[in-house]
Amino acid sequence: MSMRHLAWSLFMSFTLLLAGCGGGDDPQAALEAAVQQLQDNIEAKSTGAVLEQLHGDFLARQELDREWAKRTMTLLFLRHKNIKVIALGKNSWIDAAISSKGYTEAQVGLSGAEGLIPDSARHYSVKLEWWLDGSEWKLARLDWE
């Protein structure tokens, strides 16, 4: 799989995670808010903010770490002036047995453009695993197809 494909996949996965909203003391609402914040941070091309949402033990595809995520985002953000993440369908839930783990599965469309018209677009099925770190949900695992 090429670096470009991996980069798009990462981007799509993050987007899906951020497709919800919520807040307060409700863990489900907080998880959905983390997913929405991730999407917002990707679309704003804020590498630092996205990295803040990654758990210290983050892994994508069981081998790609935070440094890979940083390099990939930097490359994508430099290549595309505009980035849009479209969640075509998503489902987030908290593990019934381990309440400090949450999951998001989504179908995501990711597009990049130099102007108003996208010059690249991809569809991904993403799976995200979130870990509760104190009071914040952090993205710990990412996979995509």
Side-chain angles (χ1 to χ4, degrees), residues 1-142:
M1 182 179 293
S2 72
M3 180 60 131
R4 181 178 175 191
H5 183 82
L6 288 174
W8 276 112
S9 299
L10 173 66
F11 214 170
M12 293 304 287
S13 298
F14 280 69
T15 300
L16 289 175
L17 288 175
L18 296 172
C21 62
D25 293 332
D26 179 7
Q28 179 69 36
L31 176 59
E32 292 173 0
V35 172
Q36 183 61 52
Q37 187 62 52
L38 182 59
Q39 180 178 346
D40 293 347
N41 289 338
I42 291 169
E43 289 184 344
K45 297 172 42 171
S46 180
T47 302
V50 171
L51 290 172
E52 282 291 316
Q53 287 193 266
L54 300 184
H55 192 275
D57 294 328
F58 170 82
L59 286 177
R61 296 261 168 157
Q62 301 176 343
E63 63 180 331
L64 304 168
D65 62 8
R66 291 171 54 90
E67 187 58 34
W68 169 85
K70 181 179 178 180
R71 286 191 317 268
T72 300
M73 282 186 287
T74 300
L75 175 68
L76 288 174
F77 295 165
L78 288 173
R79 182 177 291 159
H80 300 286
K81 182 178 178 181
N82 299 307
I83 296 173
K84 184 68 178 166
V85 179
I86 303 164
L88 305 171
K90 75 160 186 73
N91 185 27
S92 294
W93 69 94
I94 296 173
D95 190 307
I98 305 171
S99 63
S100 61
K101 285 191 177 185
Y103 302 91
T104 302
E105 291 183 356
Q107 301 296 313
V108 176
L110 181 63
S111 67
E114 289 306 311
L116 296 175
I117 300 172
D119 52 32
S120 64
R122 293 253 177 168
H123 174 265
Y124 298 92
S125 293
V126 296
K127 295 179 181 180
L128 304 126
E129 182 176 319
W130 298 86
W131 295 354
L132 196 56
D133 186 8
S135 62
E136 294 182 39
W137 288 103
K138 300 282 186 169
L139 181 59
R141 301 290 181 261
L142 172 63

